[in-house]
Amino acid sequence: MKKTLLLALISASLAFAAAVDSLTGLKALFPKPPAEFSTLPFFVWNGEVTEAMIDRELHDFSQQGIRGFIIHPRPGLITEYLSDRWFQLVRYTVDRAKSLGMEVWLYDENSYPSGFAGGHVPAEMPESFNQGQGLAIEERGLAIQEKGPCKVLLRRAGDGFEDVTGKAEPGGPGSYCFGLTQYPVRSWNAGYSYVDLLLPGVTQKFIDVTMRGYEKALGPDLGPTVRAVFSDEPNISPPGRGAVKYTPDLFEQFQKRWGYDLKVHLPSLFEETGDWRRIRHNYYSLLLQLFIDRWSKPWHDYAESKHIAWTGHYWEHAWPNPAEGPDNMAMYAWPQIPGIDMLFNQFSEGVNAQFGNVRSVKELASAANQVGQRRTLSETYGGGGWDLRFEDMKRLGDWEYALGINVMNQHLSFGTITGARKYDYPQSFSYHEPWWNHYGVLAAHFARLSLALSSGDEVNRILVIEPTTSAWMYAAPRPNERMMQIGAAFQEFITRLAHRQVEFDLGSENIIRDRGRVAGKQFVVGKRSYDLVVLPPGTEDLDSATARLIRQYREAGGKLTSYVSGELLVDGAPGGLTIPRSEGEPANPDITCTGGAMLFHQRRHLKDGELWFFANSSLETAAGATVRTRGKSIERLDTLTGGAAPYPSSITGGSLEFSVSLPPAGSLLVVVKNVPGPAATTPPPATAEPVPSRVPVIVDRAAPNAIRIDYCDLTLGATQLGATQKDVYFFKAADEIFKQYGFQEGDPWNTAVQFKTSILDRNHFSPDSGFEATFWFDIAEGVDTGSLRAVVERPALWKVSVNGSPVESERGQWWLDVDFGVYPIGPRLKPGRNSLKIVARPMSVHNELEPVYIIGDFGAAAQERGFRIVPPSPLKLGSWKEQNLPFYSGSVSYAKRFQLDRRSRYKVVLGKWAGTVAEVRVNGKSAGIIGWQPYDLPIDGLVRSGENLVEVVVSGSLKNLLGPHHGNITRGLASPGNVRNAPATMPPGAQYDQLPYGLMDDFQVVRLK
């Protein structure tokens, strides 16, 4: 019996990990995908981590259908990283996750970039950072060299240079002194320098320091429950803008790889002198291989040995500049789950863009196709801002999924938003958000997409070779403009191919070197073979291995399309390879676009048919296409419900033909089967007849109103000694406080990574230390102050008074965050000017000064300085902001009564509105959400004959409450830097940057005939 059970468990485990390769298997799992296809938010540990916090977050994830997460240490972390307590909490998290059927992934660093282990690597291995990581020409003022000014001293000799290091003194014409540069000591790196990832042994040290505690704490759960470890933005960027990358054995490795001495050619890395194209190509080629050999391969091998996946991403948005890493696509060949990040809520198709950057996603998807990895991850949405809407989330996620992503890693879910943590590239996938209780709809949508787009294989028959090595030749501390011209030309070309629905992979020459071959008329790269190879615009150089394969491929009769003519360089030098320019451009005869310019798609092949996913990435324009393919029937898979239904199609000339018609931000998932199936029933066009309501809409706020007071009077030190600064912006005040008490960079929880307990160890201040901050607010005549409450973060840290009278927080009560205390202040308020004073005495490292809030039943009217609390007004259609709710971040209900017939079909239709999401309720029961176009929702199943109460509940966002409110604000980008800048004194309320939310037009209930 025990043996039978063991075999069954092994079989179940193998089945769980097995790839889905048939439509039958996909449809069986589609309604409720396994946990491995769930979205995976960063579960941010950014304060004092407790079991209660873990319980709350995991429960909330589970309630929204999120069945996995990544533990992510982040700025603000108080609990000691990699301590016994840390691993105790990780163990507790894993146990709770197992009980909820959830996966846990680890993050390999304390904040980012990966490699320094929160300071432990440089502390235990000084040679990881103290041998220099860059080379700069000494006269440019960037060199740091303790043992003399020159690491390498060159003197011009004829047409070249000779090495006179140690034989001559620097100076004089034709003399080049190259000094070492070093990463600066930074609080962000836990008080150390960043480490040299090209130094042998550093990565192994990093893995050992980071993972040995997890191995001990997790035991056999490392693998089955803890499935992966995430690396974030490791890089080999040289220190100093005028420097190039150096590592101690650089010259030895270069000689070994290329057979000549790099030292006498160093000027060519900075200036266009000598054989500079060849030198630069050879140099960046070597750096790439060292990065792979000394970072990627150790991590890959470690993950394989522990039966886990290694994932994460590099800084892939700088291409074609090789400084951070010479070829990110080449790096994707090594993680078990390669990844990228797509940040912010902006859409641009430029070469260094985030969302909209076709190249960035196609590099990842192509590498995964070629090495045979089915899962591809995107760290998504980071810094999109508190105002990120459901429509934005769907549009951006669908776009990257159509191009090749199938693991959604949401950036991020805050453990706490106390102090400066709330400004750390928000939004947050957590209970703080007004839309959080509706997020399960999108979580299910992306889980089903992840399953579908991990099934079968994406098989593209066109290979476009990326001109990365061509760009290397123009890279330098001050690059030649040709570098970006190459990047821009390539970016425009492949983006055009994607818009024309051409199905292609990109080719990294490093991957081609390792995995490329010619088989007949096929150009093979790993697991994929191609009928057509494209040399795109910008190509000037090929690696020797690529050139050799191209020659073989052409000799075998393979098809090559070239957008360049003349002789190509090989390894940066003339190589006798001449390619004639081709006419025409690749096309996709299977798809004809019929409307819109922002349609993207992916086709996947399974044993018994095909899977197609289409996404319209425009927010303004519909998109459409006609598709012809092999097959005998077609079904639509509904990513919102998990259901399947026949989809309209026809058989024309032996091909199955169907149409795609998508609203803005719309998407479609269909499966084309090799066997006949039931035909779709196309109902006759329905007419929509508005149903009148006999009563006007009733508008009701669902939560207390709020006002945020972000300027204060600050008194530093003892009251009798310290001078009071009037009307100071809170961030400036907080910065001054911490600097006064020895933290030269300001709030350490915002600017530093704590090494062990280095910040906590400084928590020793004299009894008379500290500060007072007084926040002023005005109350108009007629305000009922009985409902008014004050909100102060972390109430245990402060003594609080209102108009001179001490007040205590209400036990067990909180608002917005469980660490935001609530104070009953109504009896102490008066019409006119009021003060709320918070006192920190003695000073504590935890005393982060933040704005305070007043909440209750009132209006907030803009005035010459900030806002005045006024009596509430009855709400109506229109912007909340214009109805004295400028800070309000909750939801508002719009309700009407209708006479309806349960035998008829109805839907709710929204006109002009603004919000993150809207819920529709019928007779008190939820009918679902409206989050993207078309802004309507069927309500048939909830309607009863007779009178029905129909409500539309619009959710706002935390943008209006938490900002940013001041300075230069860029829509779709929120970062810690946004909160730093504000007017010197409190500006007029009308100048606060806040968005109009609400139903601008009344909603309709329409009957469908």
Side-chain angles (χ1 to χ4, degrees):
M1 179 65 182
K2 289 182 178 178
K3 183 177 180 181
T4 303
L5 179 60
L6 178 61
L7 290 173
L9 289 172
I10 293 173
S11 176
S13 175
L14 290 174
F16 179 74
V20 177
D21 58 5
S22 69
L23 299 179
T24 302
L26 168 61
K27 288 180 65 177
L29 296 174
F30 191 73
K32 189 176 181 180
E36 66 178 304
F37 299 104
S38 169
T39 65
L40 288 154
F42 280 143
F43 175 16
V44 172
W45 289 13
N46 61 345
E48 185 69 54
V49 185
T50 66
E51 287 82 358
M53 183 268 279
I54 294 166
D55 289 343
R56 180 178 63 250
E57 291 285 320
L58 268 58
H59 173 267
D60 285 357
F61 287 157
S62 182
Q63 289 294 105
Q64 297 307 315
I66 294 173
R67 301 175 65 194
F69 55 88
I70 303 173
I71 298 173
H72 182 3
R74 207 158 169 91
L77 179 65
I78 296 170
T79 303
E80 183 184 350
Y81 180 59
L82 301 184
S83 64
D84 290 344
R85 173 62 174 160
W86 177 268
F87 292 116
Q88 180 186 40
L89 290 163
V90 171
R91 176 72 261 175
Y92 181 85
T93 303
V94 171
D95 289 340
R96 292 290 295 129
K98 286 174 65 177
S99 71
L100 294 168
M102 304 174 79
E103 286 191 7
V104 182
W105 292 17
L106 303 173
Y107 184 97
D108 69 2
E109 188 53 85
N110 186 357
S111 295
Y112 51 91
S114 291
F116 67 103
H120 288 269
V121 169
E124 297 183 24
M125 187 182 184
E127 63 271 27
S128 67
F129 71 92
N130 66 8
Q131 301 185 71
Q133 301 89 22
L135 281 171
I137 298 176
E138 195 275 339
E139 66 186 26
R140 295 179 182 174
L142 291 168
I144 302 170
Q145 172 73 351
E146 296 179 0
K147 298 180 179 179
C150 302
K151 176 68 176 179
V152 177
L153 179 62
L154 302 181
R155 180 177 294 161
R156 186 171 290 280
D159 294 334
F161 295 88
E162 61 176 337
D163 183 2
V164 293
T165 308
K167 303 174 185 176
E169 293 297 320
S175 175
Y176 281 76
C177 174
F178 296 91
L180 293 180
T181 67
Q182 188 162 306
Y183 293 127
V185 172
R186 300 174 64 217
S187 58
W188 189 262
N189 295 121
Y192 290 93
S193 301
Y194 189 52
V195 296
D196 180 5
L197 298 182
L198 299 188
L199 185 71
V202 169
T203 300
Q204 289 83 350
K205 182 67 175 180
F206 174 60
I207 293 171
D208 179 59
V209 166
T210 302
M211 295 304 298
R212 65 188 175 202
Y214 289 119
E215 293 174 17
K216 181 179 178 181
L218 300 176
D221 284 318
L222 186 62
T225 302
V226 180
R227 302 284 295 272
V229 59
F230 186 107
S231 294
D232 203 351
E233 298 179 7
N235 67 86
I236 58 170
S237 180
R241 289 187 179 181
V244 296
K245 179 63 181 173
Y246 169 82
T247 195
D249 66 342
L250 172 67
F251 301 127
E252 174 189 346
Q253 293 298 322
F254 193 94
Q255 179 80 43
K256 185 182 300 183
R257 170 68 179 84
W258 293 106
Y260 64 93
D261 185 4
L262 175 62
K263 290 195 292 293
V264 296
H265 296 284
L266 283 176
S268 295
L269 299 180
F270 296 82
E271 302 168 357
E272 294 179 0
T273 184
D275 197 1
W276 53 276
R277 288 183 176 88
R278 178 174 68 98
I279 305 306
R280 294 180 188 184
H281 172 280
N282 295 176
Y283 169 75
Y284 286 110
S285 177
L286 174 68
L287 291 187
L288 172 61
Q289 197 58 51
L290 292 178
F291 201 10
I292 290 171
D293 290 344
R294 295 176 178 182
W295 169 261
S296 295
K297 289 183 179 180
W299 257 121
H300 170 274
D301 294 347
Y302 173 82
E304 289 285 308
S305 72
K306 300 299 178 183
H307 308 290
I308 60 174
W310 176 47
T311 187
H313 75 97
Y314 300 88
W315 185 248
E316 58 273 3
H317 307 288
W319 188 91
N321 193 316
E324 299 271 348
D327 183 353
N328 285 313
M329 185 177 172
M331 309 299 284
Y332 302 150
W334 298 97
Q336 286 78 11
I337 302 177
I340 58 174
D341 72 350
M342 283 287 149
L343 306 180
F344 315 131
N345 179 22
Q346 301 169 336
F347 198 94
S348 168
E349 295 184 330
V351 66
N352 296 137
Q354 299 268 344
F355 282 106
N357 189 334
V358 168
R359 173 194 53 79
S360 189
V361 188
K362 290 295 288 185
E363 285 178 339
L364 176 69
S366 302
N369 289 340
Q370 291 157 0
V371 303
Q373 300 292 11
R374 285 181 177 262
R375 307 304 304 278
T376 52
L377 175 145
S378 173
E379 177 192 322
T380 301
Y381 305 130
W386 293 113
D387 48 325
L388 188 72
R389 307 169 303 156
F390 273 39
E391 187 165 32
D392 302 319
M393 295 184 214
K394 182 177 183 298
R395 171 219 191 185
L396 299 174
D398 285 351
W399 170 83
E400 63 181 8
Y401 269 60
L403 288 170
I405 296 300
N406 55 35
V407 180
M408 166 71 76
N409 161 223
Q410 299 99 321
H411 182 294
L412 40 65
S413 176
F414 287 128
T416 178
I417 59 170
T418 56
R421 296 160 184 83
K422 64 180 69 65
Y423 313 116
D424 184 14
Y425 297 98
Q427 64 300 312
S428 179
F429 292 82
S430 62
Y431 72 94
H432 305 96
E433 295 280 12
W435 45 258
W436 175 240
N437 287 335
H438 302 303
Y439 185 71
V441 175
L442 280 174
H445 167 74
F446 286 115
R448 294 184 180 113
L449 273 185
S450 292
L451 167 65
L453 299 177
S454 302
S455 301
D457 294 289
E458 181 187 26
V459 180
N460 300 321
R461 310 299 299 188
I462 299 173
L463 177 69
V464 181
I465 296 179
E466 193 167 78
T468 298
T469 67
S470 299
W472 287 350
M473 300 187 300
Y474 300 97
R478 295 183 179 92
N480 185 304
E481 64 181 10
R482 180 60 184 155
M483 182 186 76
M484 289 307 299
Q485 290 171 356
I486 289 171
F490 177 72
Q491 189 83 11
E492 190 278 332
F493 173 70
I494 62 168
T495 303
R496 186 169 70 248
L497 292 185
H499 283 303
R500 296 182 63 191
Q501 312 307 315
V502 175
E503 297 172 346
F504 64 94
D505 281 341
L506 299 180
S508 160
E509 294 194 66
N510 183 274
I511 296 176
I512 291 171
R513 185 198 67 192
D514 290 346
R515 302 169 187 263
R517 61 187 176 88
V518 174
K521 296 182 179 181
Q522 301 289 302
F523 195 100
V524 179
V525 184
K527 304 287 186 179
R528 293 293 182 268
S529 60
Y530 301 97
D531 302 326
L532 173 66
V533 175
V534 178
L535 297 181
T539 304
E540 296 184 13
D541 174 84
L542 293 175
D543 280 352
S544 56
T546 310
R548 175 178 52 81
L549 290 173
I550 289 291
R551 288 188 178 101
Q552 292 179 12
Y553 179 66
R554 294 178 70 199
E555 291 168 359
K559 295 180 181 179
L560 178 74
T561 295
S562 175
Y563 286 80
V564 295
S565 60
E567 183 180 4
L568 294 176
L569 300 181
V570 176
D571 288 343
L577 180 62
T578 301
I579 306 285
R581 184 180 176 88
S582 308
E583 299 297 327
E585 189 165 289
N588 186 348
D590 296 340
I591 302 179
T592 302
C593 290
T594 57
M598 297 299 290
L599 182 69
F600 296 89
H601 86 279
Q602 183 184 155
R603 171 169 29 181
R604 300 188 71 83
H605 298 263
L606 294 92
K607 288 181 178 179
D608 46 359
E610 293 179 342
L611 180 144
W612 293 74
F613 178 61
F614 300 88
N616 179 9
S617 297
S618 172
L619 288 175
E620 294 82 28
T621 307
T626 300
V627 182
R628 290 165 296 278
T629 188
R630 295 179 180 178
K632 296 183 178 180
S633 63
I634 182 172
E635 287 185 328
R636 173 177 178 252
L637 300 185
D638 191 328
T639 58
L640 299 179
T641 67
Y647 189 78
S649 65
S650 62
I651 302 294
T652 304
S655 295
L656 184 142
E657 184 173 299
F658 64 94
S659 295
V660 177
S661 180
L662 298 178
S667 58
L668 173 69
L669 181 66
V670 297
V671 291
V672 176
K673 299 184 290 185
N674 295 336
V675 297
T681 56
T682 305
T687 59
E689 178 185 58
V691 179
S693 174
R694 298 179 180 177
V695 294
V697 64
I698 298 172
V699 185
D700 187 33
R701 173 170 38 84
N705 194 16
I707 186 172
R708 186 179 197 243
I709 309 170
D710 57 356
Y711 284 74
C712 66
D713 296 345
L714 174 65
T715 304
L716 274 169
T719 307
Q720 64 272 23
L721 299 176
T724 298
Q725 303 177 57
K726 298 288 188 180
D727 202 15
V728 184
Y729 181 53
F730 84 93
F731 188 91
K732 181 176 184 293
D735 194 53
E736 288 190 18
I737 290 165
F738 277 103
K739 287 179 178 177
Q740 172 75 17
Y741 290 104
F743 293 90
Q744 295 305 310
E745 296 181 58
D747 181 355
W749 306 112
N750 186 37
T751 60
V753 166
Q754 179 175 224
F755 177 56
K756 296 185 177 180
T757 57
S758 59
I759 297 175
L760 297 176
D761 293 343
R762 297 175 66 176
N763 199 25
H764 303 288
F765 301 94
S766 64
D768 63 347
S769 64
F771 61 92
E772 296 180 359
T774 303
F775 296 85
W776 296 92
F777 56 101
D778 297 315
I779 300 179
E781 294 284 351
V783 173
D784 180 0
T785 61
S787 70
L788 269 58
R789 303 283 188 273
V791 176
V792 179
E793 298 185 16
R794 294 191 280 191
L797 296 175
W798 316 96
K799 293 179 180 178
V800 180
S801 61
V802 174
N803 293 330
S805 298
V807 291
E808 298 289 337
S809 63
E810 295 182 274
R811 178 172 293 183
Q813 298 298 307
W814 58 272
W815 178 80
L816 189 59
D817 184 287
V818 295
D819 290 320
F820 284 22
V822 178
Y823 295 76
I825 61 172
R828 295 168 174 79
L829 300 177
K830 64 183 188 300
R833 198 80 164 144
N834 292 261
S835 67
L836 188 156
K837 179 186 289 185
I838 64 173
V839 179
R841 185 156 291 112
M843 177 63 183
S844 164
V845 294
H846 301 296
N847 282 124
E848 295 178 84
L849 180 64
E850 284 289 306
V852 298
Y853 308 83
I854 307 297
I855 62 173
D857 186 18
F858 60 83
Q863 61 180 6
E864 186 177 349
R865 293 184 63 259
F867 297 84
R868 182 174 76 257
I869 294 174
V870 299
S873 302
L875 297 179
K876 57 186 179 182
L877 296 171
S879 166
W880 305 344
K881 179 181 175 182
E882 303 306 318
Q883 300 179 67
N884 291 337
L885 300 176
F887 292 96
Y888 184 67
S889 62
S891 60
V892 170
S893 168
Y894 301 81
K896 292 192 292 187
R897 295 185 180 274
F898 298 87
Q899 292 292 323
L900 305 175
D901 185 340
R902 66 181 180 85
R903 295 168 296 179
S904 297
R905 294 186 300 131
Y906 300 93
K907 66 178 179 180
V908 168
V909 179
L910 302 188
K912 184 179 179 182
W913 72 291
T916 52
V917 66
E919 181 188 18
V920 176
R921 299 174 184 166
V922 179
N923 300 319
K925 296 182 178 179
S926 180
I929 64 166
I930 297 174
W932 45 86
Q933 301 174 60
Y935 300 131
D936 58 35
L937 185 74
I939 58 172
D940 307 341
L942 297 176
V943 167
R944 63 193 178 207
S945 294
E947 186 175 80
N948 290 259
L949 176 65
V950 180
E951 299 172 85
V952 174
V953 184
V954 176
S955 295
S957 82
L958 291 173
K959 152 66 182 174
N960 284 357
L961 180 69
L962 301 180
H965 292 132
H966 312 290
N968 295 322
I969 294 171
T970 302
R971 289 280 176 257
L973 194 165
S975 74
N978 290 133
V979 76
R980 292 179 176 271
N981 299 315
T985 59
M986 182 179 284
Q991 292 183 10
Y992 279 62
D993 186 76
Q994 292 165 317
L995 300 176
Y997 289 122
L999 283 190
M1000 312 308 165
D1001 299 331
D1002 201 356
F1003 74 89
Q1004 290 185 319
V1005 172
V1006 299
R1007 182 171 61 185
L1008 302 175
K1009 292 184 176 181

